[in-house]
Amino acid sequence: MSQISLTFPDGNARAYPAGVTAAEVAASIAPSLAKNAISASLDGRHIDLQWPIMASGKIAINTMKDSEPALELIRHDLAHIMARAVQELWPDVKVTIGPVRDYGWFYDFDRAEPFTPEDLGAIEARMKQIIAARDPVRTELWDRARALAYYEDRGEPFKVELVNRIPEGEDLRMYWHGDWQDLCRGPHLQHTGQVPADAFKLTHVAGAYWLGDASRPMLQRIYGVAFRNRDDLKAHLTMLEEAAKRDHRKLGREMELFHFQEEAPGMVFWHPNGWSIYRELEAYMRRRLIRADYKEIKTPQVVDRILWEKSGHWEAYRENMFIVEVDEEGAKEKRVNALKPMNCPCHVQVYNQGLKSYRDLPLRLAEFGSCHRYEPSGAMHGLMRVRGFVQDDAHIFCTENQIEAECAGFIGLLSSVYKDLGFEKFDIKLSTRPEVRVGSDEIWDKAEAALKGAIEHLGLPYEVNPGDGAFYGPKLDFKLTDAIGREWQCGTFQCDFNLPQRLEAEYVGEDGAKHMPVMLHRAVLGSFERFIGILIENYSGKLPLWLAPRQVVVASIVSGADDYVHRVVAALREAGLRAEADTRNEKINYKVREHSVGKVPVIMAVGLKEVEERSVSVRRLDRQGSESLGLDQAIQALVAEATPPDLR
């Protein structure tokens, strides 16, 4: 039997017969490792302990202490255990697919009756019985004919379709958890008892079309979450409860910010309060861009398909574009246009007007660009995922030698903006060249080195995502962390050597010859809609005073103070504050409660005493008690607090 060499993380290598399993490798090192092993990593690929290893490589044995592989296996095994539990409880249910997802998994089922909350409890109980049984997990490779016959005999039409979708010549891997079997790539744990029985929970049921196709059957999708231990599960469930309280859709209704309706799916109807937040955020970003030497432009929303064909978006992005057909007078055919899904091709058109010199670079063109992208109805989620949105978009045209400096400048701008908006922490991921790409290796070397150099020059930590760059260049993605620990990917910085070439962008260099500029795509917030949703949830609706749509409500305690209330409101507005009067014939406690639900940060209560003293009783949102201040003093303090952070 031929020999292979396996190299361990410490650099030592051992010879093994070809076909050795990772379980056997673990046993050859130490009995304790064999007992604790759950899987292995072979040349960076996650593999099952049962799979034969046929070639030399670098290997690491994983245990439950290795968080990433452990969570993948726990969640993947639980998907199978849940499907087994469902079919044991209701044998007529048909199974489909059950992938791992963020924090857990889901599995889609074809069942005539809807699953109920009581059903989820029964499924959880059966899952714990399966885990306690410590049933062995085994795997085999089957050919297509055997797999098809197996699923046809058992009346599993969805599995039959999945088998038929697998390319010819590719082996099919089968897994058994006890006597229950599923088609799966793996890897998996070695027995059901390795799953922590107290660290998972089924959360909810939703509808899902088979393979995401609205013309196919509607299935029932059961979601679950799972972790390595009970404490991690408890912390996650607590976070979910807090997230539900902060849901921007709920707060949007309470604060009267926006709404959606069927006549314009995925398009936001901004109410005065919500539009106030939008305008303040836009004004803030405009000031920051002006100081960073960006030139603001505005480009059309409807553009002929010819431009999208030239840019490559028509071929790559057509299914996500809204098409506009126009009957041009005298034309034999309709003219086909599209609502722009992104701004970059139009920005190149602005750049191309007039001959550019190397002295004009870098040229930073910014646009609060209105874009439209088709999102499936099931994918839309409040402000977080919409069909119509505005990006704080910009494109920097520069030379190759200017990439690093522009990247450093952008990171400085982004970190300052995030801090102003209340986000102290963000992570950076550098995505490098994918297998399918344009441009020479020499250009990719320069671009990747420039991005890497800019991050390191600023002393910022980052992770590398090998092969995850755009086809036209490497990119940086920026993930900010909110008040309850959730991560949101918002900012991005991308190097593009492709679009300038496709759209014939040029500049005259020092040598008098024409050269192609590098195009840097960048955004700080991403879309205004999504970022406002993130802000609402981060602050639980209690926005900083400068962003709050209703900054001050002046409420009368008795009707004799009504005239003074209006004078106070006028003085606040004169000072530039957003203020309103509440002189309704209601008790002051009722008014305070109502405006607190609406997340008004400052409520001024005014009675006869305040009229006489020309003062106000200031109540702060979520603070006990109130503070009596002279009117001028109160206005001065609020004006200072309501000044945007970049103007202080």
Side-chain angles (χ1 to χ4, degrees):
M1 184 178 292
S2 61
Q3 296 285 301
I4 61 173
S5 176
L6 296 178
T7 303
F8 297 92
D10 62 4
N12 291 322
R14 290 191 186 186
Y16 293 93
V20 67
T21 65
E24 292 168 337
V25 172
S28 74
I29 298 172
S32 60
L33 183 61
K35 180 180 178 181
N36 295 322
I38 57 171
S39 65
S41 297
L42 182 66
D43 292 333
R45 184 170 64 99
H46 197 190
I47 68 168
D48 197 296
L49 291 177
Q50 302 178 50
W51 295 355
I53 302 171
M54 305 306 297
S56 299
K58 295 180 179 179
I59 192 170
I61 304 298
N62 300 317
T63 70
M64 281 294 179
K65 292 181 179 179
D66 298 297
S67 177
E68 188 173 335
L71 285 172
E72 178 188 341
L73 292 173
I74 289 168
R75 291 162 178 169
H76 201 172
D77 278 58
L78 279 166
H80 283 212
I81 290 169
M82 182 178 76
R84 171 182 163 181
V86 167
Q87 288 200 308
E88 287 180 356
L89 291 168
W90 300 280
D92 59 325
V93 171
K94 306 303 181 187
V95 294
T96 62
I97 53 175
V100 173
R101 61 189 294 273
D102 291 344
Y103 306 114
W105 77 93
F106 67 77
Y107 208 112
D108 291 346
F109 300 97
D110 184 23
R111 184 189 183 211
E113 297 296 322
F115 287 109
T116 66
E118 291 75 22
D119 291 339
L120 294 190
I123 296 167
E124 274 192 17
R126 182 59 65 92
M127 291 171 69
K128 290 179 179 179
Q129 292 173 0
I130 294 169
I131 292 169
R134 299 174 65 86
D135 286 337
V137 176
R138 61 187 180 89
T139 182
E140 292 179 2
L141 288 176
W142 283 10
D143 61 35
R144 180 184 301 272
R146 184 180 178 187
L148 285 172
Y150 181 88
Y151 287 123
E152 287 169 353
D153 288 347
R154 281 157 180 76
E156 293 283 5
F158 299 99
K159 293 296 183 184
V160 170
E161 183 173 346
L162 288 175
V163 170
N164 283 323
R165 285 174 171 269
I166 296 173
E168 289 286 348
E170 187 174 318
D171 288 327
L172 310 181
R173 184 167 290 281
M174 301 294 181
Y175 270 93
W176 285 260
H177 287 68
D179 294 328
W180 186 86
Q181 183 269 0
D182 203 1
L183 170 70
C184 183
R185 290 191 178 95
H188 280 283
L189 294 166
Q190 302 308 292
H191 61 81
T192 60
Q194 288 180 299
V195 175
D198 61 351
F200 77 91
K201 182 173 180 58
L202 305 186
T203 56
H204 63 289
V205 182
Y209 290 111
W210 171 233
L211 299 179
D213 186 343
S215 66
R216 307 298 302 276
M218 172 65 78
L219 307 173
Q220 295 187 68
R221 175 171 294 176
I222 300 180
Y223 289 89
V225 294
F227 297 87
R228 289 186 296 164
N229 56 64
R230 182 179 181 180
D231 288 344
D232 287 351
L233 173 65
K234 186 177 179 181
H236 180 74
L237 295 177
T238 300
M239 185 273 287
L240 290 181
E241 290 175 6
E242 183 61 31
K245 296 175 188 175
R246 295 167 177 259
D247 191 319
H248 73 281
R249 296 167 298 178
K250 170 180 172 289
L251 292 171
R253 290 190 297 272
E254 293 174 355
M255 298 171 68
E256 299 181 6
L257 302 180
F258 60 86
H259 82 275
F260 295 89
Q261 61 188 62
E262 292 182 2
E263 289 81 358
M267 311 289 184
V268 187
F269 288 79
W270 288 105
H271 297 196
N273 290 340
W275 193 241
S276 172
I277 300 172
Y278 188 107
R279 287 188 296 109
E280 285 294 331
L281 189 61
E282 182 184 50
Y284 165 81
M285 286 305 303
R286 179 170 283 116
R287 292 192 301 269
R288 296 304 307 264
L289 292 174
I290 290 171
R291 290 188 201 121
D293 197 27
Y294 284 82
K295 312 298 183 186
E296 187 175 344
I297 60 175
K298 190 69 176 174
T299 60
Q301 285 184 255
V302 180
V303 181
D304 195 293
R305 68 177 286 178
I306 293 172
L307 180 61
W308 303 114
E309 288 172 346
K310 286 182 180 178
S311 69
H313 290 98
W314 189 262
E315 180 180 356
Y317 215 76
R318 164 67 183 82
E319 63 182 17
N320 297 104
M321 298 169 73
F322 286 97
I323 305 305
V324 180
E325 292 186 344
V326 180
D327 284 316
E328 293 280 4
E329 186 177 352
K332 294 181 180 179
E333 297 180 356
K334 290 184 178 180
R335 186 169 181 175
V336 179
N337 300 272
L339 288 174
K340 64 178 179 182
M342 62 275 296
N343 303 297
C344 26
C346 292
H347 285 202
V348 180
Q349 306 314 302
V350 175
Y351 174 88
N352 283 347
Q353 298 303 301
L355 187 63
K356 299 295 186 297
S357 162
Y358 70 92
R359 296 186 182 89
D360 299 316
L361 306 183
L363 178 61
R364 307 180 187 98
L365 299 180
E367 179 178 11
F368 298 128
S370 181
C371 299
H372 293 79
R373 297 177 187 175
Y374 175 75
E375 297 282 359
S377 57
M380 292 186 290
H381 178 75
L383 297 177
M384 301 304 192
R385 195 160 182 180
V386 292
R387 289 178 176 172
F389 58 95
V390 174
Q391 290 179 311
D392 69 317
D393 206 0
H395 296 89
I396 303 169
F397 297 87
C398 65
T399 67
E400 290 181 23
N401 293 333
Q402 294 170 332
I403 295 174
E404 181 173 340
E406 289 304 306
C407 180
F410 171 74
I411 294 174
L413 172 65
L414 174 139
S415 59
S416 175
V417 167
Y418 284 1
K419 187 174 182 179
D420 280 352
L421 296 174
F423 301 98
E424 297 289 339
K425 183 179 182 296
F426 64 87
D427 297 319
I428 303 175
K429 295 197 174 181
L430 168 60
S431 299
T432 57
R433 67 195 73 184
E435 288 188 16
V436 179
R437 59 184 182 271
V438 296
S440 67
D441 286 341
E442 180 184 5
I443 288 177
W444 276 89
D445 289 341
K446 289 180 181 179
E448 290 174 356
L451 298 190
K452 184 171 179 284
I455 308 170
E456 293 178 348
H457 180 73
L458 293 171
L460 296 172
Y462 65 96
E463 293 181 14
V464 176
N465 272 350
D468 201 39
F471 72 91
Y472 48 75
K475 63 176 182 172
L476 299 177
D477 286 326
F478 299 84
K479 289 190 174 183
L480 56 82
T481 303
D482 71 8
I484 58 174
R486 296 174 299 180
E487 288 189 336
W488 304 92
Q489 198 273 301
C490 296
T492 189
F493 186 89
Q494 306 171 357
C495 285
D496 188 352
F497 295 91
N498 179 52
L499 199 59
Q501 183 179 36
R502 293 185 72 117
L503 298 181
E504 301 173 350
E506 297 176 332
Y507 71 92
V508 178
E510 290 185 75
D511 58 1
K514 290 185 177 180
H515 301 269
M516 186 188 73
V518 178
M519 186 176 182
L520 305 176
H521 307 244
R522 46 108 295 174
V524 177
L525 306 182
S527 89
F528 275 88
E529 287 75 9
R530 181 169 178 267
F531 201 89
I532 289 172
I534 294 169
L535 280 172
I536 292 167
E537 296 198 0
N538 180 65
Y539 286 105
S540 195
K542 303 159 192 171
L543 295 166
L545 192 61
W546 72 276
L547 272 176
R550 303 169 66 205
Q551 293 175 325
V552 187
V553 168
V554 185
S556 58
I557 298 173
V558 293
S559 60
D562 288 354
D563 289 344
Y564 181 61
V565 166
H566 292 294
R567 292 200 301 273
V568 172
V569 168
L572 289 165
R573 289 177 176 173
E574 181 68 23
L577 293 160
R578 292 185 285 278
E580 57 192 76
D582 185 348
T583 56
R584 295 174 298 167
N585 185 24
E586 300 285 356
K587 292 182 178 180
I588 188 63
N589 288 341
Y590 176 87
K591 295 178 182 180
V592 169
R593 282 196 302 272
E594 183 179 272
H595 296 308
S596 295
V597 170
K599 302 298 186 289
V600 178
V602 178
I603 301 172
M604 291 181 174
V606 172
L608 296 179
K609 177 186 175 185
E610 285 74 24
V611 173
E612 183 179 342
E613 297 177 351
R614 199 174 178 272
S615 65
V616 288
S617 179
V618 179
R619 297 169 182 250
R620 291 284 188 156
L621 184 62
D622 283 354
R623 291 188 197 171
Q624 295 296 321
S626 59
E627 180 183 15
S628 181
L629 296 172
L631 179 58
D632 293 339
Q633 180 187 2
I635 292 176
Q636 184 179 7
L638 290 176
V639 167
E641 184 181 346
T643 301
D646 63 308
L647 297 178
R648 292 172 189 166

